[in-house]
Amino acid sequence: MRIDIITIFPEILQGPFSESIVKRAISKGLAEIYIHQLRDFTSDKHKKVDDYAFSGGAGMVMMIEPIAKAIDFLKSEREYDEIIYTSPDGDLLDQPMANKMSMYKNIIILCGHYKGIDERIREHYITKEISIGNYVLSGGELAAAVISDSLIRLIPGVIGDETSALSDSFQNGLVSPPVYTRPREFKGWKVPDILLSGNDKLIDEWKFEQSLIRTKQRRPDFDNK
Ligand code: SAH
């Protein structure tokens, strides 16, 4: 999978892709991430990419021309499955959406800033708008990192234990059961006996039951899905 991210703050995106699972996916050649500085696509001599909103009001708006040029350039190089704009009023990112998008070959993620982007970009270039939650961020970079991470970890071969990503919360409509590691006892707090029993069948049943209980208690909105 190839992800092209368009941003005016490329530095914000250095950290999330340089450690752990995403880093490994990139070094194995299973994912490619290219971060593009939007300012490289403006013909303005001061590299300006934002302007005052028509009709006034507080806050700047990202201009149409540099964004259009950046997307046109990328589209002239290859075909994209989706051109995504990160937006608080977009579709809420969830696991089924991540599963579907993890099968894509090429995507663009456009990060907004200030008051957002000129609406005409959304109308004429953007094919999907994604929100990572019902709150407002300062820019789309953190959302782009979250979206990319959620997709990349699902690409076959990225996570060592193939079943691991599938046993995560939400994959079967349930949240994960609790997990424990050594020591068996700490400050008198014990690991449930069943997990130490060595009986795989009973352990699997216990885990499933815990998932059901937790989903009911914590995420009733996911129950019976
Ligand atoms: N005025 C806009 C918010 C702009 S916030 C509004 O009220 O909808 C600046 C940028 O941050 C947005 O253009 C968007 O790209 C990004 N952003 C903010 N919150 C986000 C969220 N919850 N999910 C995804 N992107 C978000």
Side-chain angles (χ1 to χ4, degrees), residues 35-96:
I35 299 168
H36 306 276
Q37 169 55 270
L38 180 64
R39 294 187 199 281
D40 293 344
F41 293 90
T42 172
S43 45
D44 181 79
K45 65 175 187 294
H46 301 294
K47 303 266 181 207
K48 195 168 137 69
V49 291
D50 59 301
D51 209 337
Y52 295 99
F54 277 127
S55 84
M60 304 297 275
V61 175
M62 287 173 71
M63 297 158 79
I64 193 166
E65 186 227 354
I67 299 176
K69 270 194 179 158
I71 297 177
D72 283 340
F73 165 71
L74 291 171
K75 280 172 74 174
S76 72
E77 299 277 307
R78 67 195 63 76
E79 284 201 6
Y80 285 91
D81 298 288
E82 212 82 89
I83 301 173
I84 297 165
Y85 173 52
T86 55
S87 183
D89 62 3
D91 299 333
L92 261 187
L93 180 65
D94 62 7
Q95 197 60 50

Side-chain angles (χ1 to χ4, degrees), residues 14 29 71 80 139 145 157 169 172 217:
Q14 294 309 322
I71 297 177
Y80 285 91
S169 289
N172 53 1
Q217 283 172 345

Side-chain angles (χ1 to χ4, degrees), residues 76-159:
S76 72
E77 299 277 307
R78 67 195 63 76
E79 284 201 6
Y80 285 91
D81 298 288
E82 212 82 89
I83 301 173
I84 297 165
Y85 173 52
T86 55
S87 183
D89 62 3
D91 299 333
L92 261 187
L93 180 65
D94 62 7
Q95 197 60 50
M97 195 197 288
N99 290 348
K100 181 172 176 220
M101 292 198 302
S102 72
M103 286 181 263
Y104 289 161
K105 205 161 163 277
N106 302 314
I107 58 171
I108 294 175
I109 306 179
L110 171 65
C111 305
H113 252 276
Y114 316 116
K115 267 299 186 197
I117 62 173
D118 190 304
E119 185 67 19
R120 289 166 291 182
I121 289 287
R122 299 174 71 165
E123 276 169 23
H124 300 288
Y125 280 93
I126 300 301
T127 60
K128 187 168 187 66
E129 302 192 329
I130 301 179
S131 164
I132 63 160
N134 293 329
Y135 39 80
V136 177
L137 300 163
S138 313
E141 288 73 17
L142 296 176
V146 169
I147 295 164
S148 303
D149 186 306
S150 74
L151 305 188
I152 288 172
R153 66 197 308 284
L154 295 170
I155 298 172
V158 167
I159 293 186

Side-chain angles (χ1 to χ4, degrees), residues 199-211:
N199 186 329
D200 290 342
K201 186 167 172 282
L202 285 183
I203 291 174
D204 282 349
E205 279 169 16
W206 180 86
K207 285 184 176 172
F208 184 60
E209 198 185 321
Q210 290 295 315
S211 279

